[in-house]
Amino acid sequence: MAEFTPSEPKEKTILKLKLNTDPRWVDIASKNIEDILVDHAYCEQKAASTGISLIVKYPEKARLVDELTDLVAEEWAHFERVLQELRKRGFALGRQRRDEYVVQLMTHVRKGGARERQLMDQLLVSALIEARSCERFKLLWKHIPDPDLSKFYYELMVSEAGHFVAYVDLAKEYCDPKEVEARLQELLKIEGEIVTNLPVRDDRMH
C-alpha cells in the first residue's frame, strides 16, 4: 500500500482568507468530537442543498448545472461518510443547529437588481463557506489526535479547496471577471469580520 503523504492547500494563495481561525478552536473541538461531527454532517447536507437550489434556480446555465450536479453528489457522499464516522463511535446524528456564521454571511447576498448579480453573490458566498470549511478541516487534519479522523479531514480539506475554486470559476463564467474579483475581495473582508466577532465554540464547525 502506498504511504500516505499529504500536502496542503495554501490559504493565502488558493482560499484567500483574510483571517485564520483562532487556534483555540481546534483544541476545544477535538475534545468534543461528537458535536463537531454532528454539526459537520449538517454542513455537508446544507452544502448539497445549496447546490440543488442553484441548479433549480438557474437551469438554463449548462455549465453550472453540470458542475453543481457533480458537486452535490460529492457533498452528499461526504454527508454519508460523516454519518459513518458518527456511528463508528456510537453517536447518533442529533438535531440540526443554527449556523450563525452562514446566516450572517448570507445576509450579504444582495437582493434585487440583475439576476446575474444575485447569482454572483450566491456563488461567492458559497465559495467562502467552502474556503472556511477547508481551513477548519486543515486544522483538524493536523492536530486532531485520532489518526483515522485526521486522514478523513485531510481528504475533505482537499475536496473543499476544489469546491471553492469551482464556485469562483462559475461566477467568472457568468459575470465579468473583474467585477467578480472585486466583489470577492469585499466578501472576504466581511467574512473575516464575521469570524472575528463570533464566539469560539466547541460544538460548531464554523
Side-chain angles (χ1 to χ4, degrees), residues 51-69 115-116 119 122 174:
I52 293 169
S53 295
L54 286 167
I55 290 169
V56 171
K57 190 171 183 180
Y58 301 97
E60 75 281 4
K61 300 190 182 301
R63 180 182 168 188
L64 180 148
V65 171
D66 290 346
E67 293 196 16
L68 292 189
T69 296
R115 195 161 180 263
E116 275 66 30
L119 173 59
Q122 289 169 333
Y174 297 112

Side-chain angles (χ1 to χ4, degrees), residues 78-90:
H78 292 171
F79 172 72
E80 293 177 327
R81 289 188 65 190
V82 180
L83 283 182
Q84 290 173 2
E85 295 299 330
L86 277 164
R87 288 168 181 161
K88 275 166 55 177
R89 292 161 177 79

Side-chain angles (χ1 to χ4, degrees), residues 94-105:
R95 292 187 177 276
Q96 183 174 342
R97 298 86 176 269
R98 177 180 172 89
D99 191 334
E100 192 61 38
Y101 166 81
V102 172
V103 169
Q104 290 191 31
L105 204 49

